[in-house]
Amino acid sequence: MPRHSAALDRATPERIAEAALGLVDEGGPEALTFRALAVRLEISLASLQRRCTDLAGLLDLCVDQVAAKLPDVEPGTEWAAATEARFTALYELLAAHPGLLALRGTRPWLGPNLLARLAEPQLADSLAAGMTPREAITAYRRMYLLTLGSAGFVDHRDPGPARVATRTALAALDPDRFPALTAHLAAIVPAVTDHEVYFGALRQLIEAADPGRARPAVTEHPRT
């Protein structure tokens, strides 16, 4: 009978993902190495690699661990409220892990938890509310891409450096060539890291797509 391995008990997918997220959150993307992760888990590098063979697989585990924290929206919740709740939760989770966003880059987010807790219920709600399949996936993609881009644009845990860099860059511009940018630093700089920019854009997308929103009547003009 094979001997039970305590090291493999410590290397469950959930523990690997949480330890990897901890390294990235504390030290940035460059802090995540298999050797550092093995040390944190108190297992051998070989044991870790038996559980997770490459960086892509490790990042998939991390994404799915984060997505597992997305909320279950109560069935029967009005479409716009349910949509805002799901994407707001996704934005807040991603903004809390900027290093993970940087490492994932443009690779698709297709883990089972993300699909089960966001994509599937959102599309199902949209179809039930009267959208066509094309309308449902288009609305989903718009909100999803807005969320990824807004969460990953700056490190929202420490927005100060982004504001300083923006102010420094704009202040160095020639006012004659860039009059709009140089004259409105007080408005531009805070907007770079303002969460309300995302929330306002999300609400606009929801309002535009809402199948329950009353649409203005279209007046048909007789042809001459």
Side-chain angles (χ1 to χ4, degrees), residues 165-174 181-182 185 188-189:
T166 301
R167 180 180 294 278
T168 301
L170 296 184
L173 295 175
D174 179 354
L181 288 170
T182 56
L185 286 177
I188 294 172
V189 172

Side-chain angles (χ1 to χ4, degrees), residues 59-106:
L59 294 176
D60 286 343
L61 286 180
C62 292
V63 167
D64 216 42
Q65 186 70 10
V66 170
K69 299 173 184 177
L70 289 169
D72 286 320
V73 176
E74 188 71 24
T77 301
E78 188 267 333
W79 181 88
T83 301
E84 184 169 354
R86 290 191 185 103
F87 282 99
T88 295
L90 178 64
Y91 173 78
E92 291 173 346
L93 282 172
L94 296 181
H97 301 288
L100 177 61
L101 279 172
L103 285 169
R104 284 284 298 188
T106 58

Side-chain angles (χ1 to χ4, degrees), residues 79-154:
W79 181 88
T83 301
E84 184 169 354
R86 290 191 185 103
F87 282 99
T88 295
L90 178 64
Y91 173 78
E92 291 173 346
L93 282 172
L94 296 181
H97 301 288
L100 177 61
L101 279 172
L103 285 169
R104 284 284 298 188
T106 58
R107 293 183 62 231
W109 295 59
L110 298 173
N113 278 323
L114 186 74
L115 295 178
R117 303 181 76 85
L118 178 69
E120 175 63 25
Q122 183 61 38
L123 291 177
D125 279 1
S126 295
L127 294 171
M131 287 188 186
T132 67
R134 182 174 180 82
E135 288 170 340
I137 191 59
T138 298
Y140 175 86
R141 286 288 293 171
R142 286 171 177 165
M143 296 174 207
Y144 172 76
L145 293 174
L146 169 70
T147 304
L148 283 184
S150 298
F153 185 71
V154 298

